[in-house]
Amino acid sequence: LGETAAGATRYRPLDVVADGNADAAECRKQSAWEASTRLAKSTSLDVTVQGWRQSNGVLWDINQTARALIPEAGIDATFTVASVTYQTGSQGTTASLTLRDPEAYK
């Protein structure tokens, strides 16, 4: 991957070995996929919500979409739920969600 991605502060080369014969077009396609997927996976948000269920009564589950609205942090976006941990404790029942950019799963 010879190009520096937008937002990268330094050059970070990565060698990816093709699964088979690959021409220049296939290598460019693979490079673009690697860059966008790695960027999306690096964007992660960990939140804890009260209860184990969404407002519609359905349990939180992975691969669902969830809107995060956190004005204090300037966040208003839709994410994909990457992991869910259900907990009970002194704060009642809570669900800890790891949210990722949906582009990570395309």
Side-chain angles (χ1 to χ4, degrees):
L1 304 178
E3 296 180 20
T4 303
T9 57
R10 65 184 173 93
Y11 180 66
R12 298 176 186 190
L14 173 67
D15 293 326
V16 177
V17 178
D19 291 335
N21 292 335
D23 59 11
E26 183 62 30
C27 289
R28 277 191 292 279
K29 179 180 170 186
Q30 179 68 25
S31 176
W33 181 85
E34 288 284 347
S36 66
T37 301
R38 288 172 186 273
L39 178 63
K41 285 183 179 179
S42 71
T43 305
S44 176
L45 180 65
D46 293 319
V47 297
T48 300
V49 296
Q50 193 65 43
W52 292 354
R53 297 181 183 275
Q54 302 170 56
S55 59
N56 63 3
V58 176
L59 283 171
W60 287 104
D61 200 4
I62 60 171
N63 296 326
Q64 293 179 322
T65 58
R67 180 174 177 229
L69 177 59
I70 309 171
E72 299 83 6
I75 297 172
D76 183 1
T78 300
F79 293 89
T80 298
V81 178
S83 69
V84 181
T85 303
Y86 300 108
Q87 302 152 339
T88 55
S90 61
Q91 296 182 342
T93 58
T94 59
S96 294
L97 311 173
T98 298
L99 306 175
R100 290 224 172 95
D101 186 333
E103 293 294 316
Y105 301 97
K106 287 190 175 180

